[in-house]
Amino acid sequence: MPGVLRWAVPLFCTVMFYGLAGGLWKSVNLLPVQFCVLFFVIKSFVNWAAWLANGTPNPFAPERRAFVRGALLGQMVNGIAWICYFTALSHGPAAIVQTITAAYTALTVVLALIFLKEKLVAIQVVGVTMVVGSSVMLGLTSGPASGGEGNLWFYASLGTLVSWGTCTAIFKHAYNQEGANDTVFFLTNWVGMGLTVLPFGLLQGGAKMPETSHDLWMGVLIVLLYSLGDLTLFAAINRGPASIVSPISGLYPLPTIAYSALILKEQISTLQ
């Protein structure tokens, strides 16, 4: 059991951080491109602070080269996934976009079983299948199911699915290399976001400040929660099997639904 707790505890934190951030976003006027810029700014503090607080391990150590290369590759793919995700949300129906992108956890499971040689017993297969199915069903309730501009949102949704599913498997492969270290991994995440999400946000006008100070500070809180959720997710991927960690991380809509019902007084649908 202690071995399971090593990845289950940070994974639980990830679901809570992501879920609460999603609930708070419902009541804030924060554009996706503004999120992109804030995301990088907050990660500049959070990720580097984690590295400094853990003894500043050398990311350029010779024994870490394979680990860092794999981590950087995964982070670039992760950044592409975020760009595709926000592009899809900006042009397509939210419910369908969320449903398609939520299926990335299934791709991670397949890649982990084939390329990482992870094993699942029968009861784990049943559990993972139920979790992936639940994530997709929750996506159906996340917004309008109609509308959309052209086909760009659909292709962007598929890009998100493939990119997130692939990068999670790459992350686990990188963590399996010699010299793997969480806080060095956090630095590669900062670099990846700086080379992908930040330029995207700036080119799309994300440098424009939110309209009110309330939106700004709530935006900072939302992005902080997402940033912390990323760090705890990376820690869970390091310590646990990707074929189980990834599907469970997709259950973050559950705290969002709870927050929406208890705080925002929204109705919970039958499907939810």
Side-chain angles (χ1 to χ4, degrees):
M1 182 60 69
V4 173
L5 291 178
R6 291 182 67 246
W7 59 264
V9 171
L11 184 57
F12 173 79
C13 293
T14 296
V15 172
M16 296 304 296
F17 285 143
Y18 284 171
L20 181 55
L24 290 171
W25 203 336
K26 287 174 172 280
S27 57
V28 177
N29 184 23
L30 180 68
L31 300 176
V33 291
Q34 293 171 330
F35 172 92
C36 290
V37 176
L38 279 176
F39 204 27
F40 178 76
V41 172
I42 297 302
K43 279 181 175 292
S44 298
F45 290 98
V46 173
N47 292 30
W48 282 92
W51 180 72
L52 290 169
N54 284 273
T56 64
N58 182 10
F60 303 108
E63 68 272 15
R64 289 202 172 101
R65 287 175 182 170
F67 163 63
V68 171
R69 282 198 300 267
L72 284 173
L73 174 61
Q75 297 297 353
M76 295 299 293
V77 177
N78 182 38
I80 293 171
W82 277 105
I83 292 172
C84 290
Y85 179 65
F86 284 131
T87 300
L89 282 181
S90 298
H91 296 278
I96 299 178
V97 170
Q98 297 279 20
T99 303
I100 294 173
T101 57
Y104 84 88
T105 57
L107 177 59
T108 299
V109 172
V110 172
L111 293 176
L113 294 177
I114 295 176
F115 295 105
L116 301 178
K117 307 302 181 183
E118 294 186 359
K119 305 290 185 182
L120 292 177
V121 299
I123 189 64
Q124 290 174 322
V125 173
V126 173
V128 166
T129 302
M130 292 176 65
V131 169
V132 172
S134 298
S135 299
V136 172
M137 290 177 66
L138 287 170
L140 287 170
T141 68
S142 298
S146 60
E149 306 169 12
N151 296 319
L152 176 62
W153 66 269
F154 178 72
Y155 295 121
S157 297
L158 291 181
T160 305
L161 185 160
V162 173
S163 298
W164 265 337
T166 301
C167 79
T168 307
I170 294 175
F171 289 162
K172 184 60 180 180
H173 173 72
Y175 267 127
N176 288 339
Q177 306 307 306
E178 183 183 0
N181 178 275
D182 279 334
T183 51
V184 171
F185 193 88
F186 300 163
L187 295 188
T188 67
N189 173 245
W190 177 79
V191 172
M193 294 299 100
L195 294 175
T196 55
V197 169
L198 177 62
F200 171 77
L202 291 175
L203 290 173
Q204 297 293 320
K208 181 181 178 181
M209 298 288 285
E211 294 182 359
T212 67
S213 58
H214 172 265
D215 287 339
L216 173 61
W217 289 110
M218 287 299 293
V220 169
L221 176 59
I222 290 168
V223 172
L224 175 62
L225 289 170
Y226 273 117
S227 297
L228 293 174
D230 276 357
L231 300 192
T232 52
L233 176 60
F234 298 152
I237 292 173
N238 180 20
R239 294 160 176 77
S243 53
I244 296 179
V245 169
S246 180
I248 295 177
S249 70
L251 291 180
Y252 62 85
L254 292 177
T256 301
I257 292 172
Y259 178 89
S260 299
L262 297 175
I263 306 300
L264 303 181
K265 306 303 181 183
E266 294 182 357
Q267 287 291 111
I268 300 179
S269 69
T270 302
L271 183 58
Q272 288 174 331

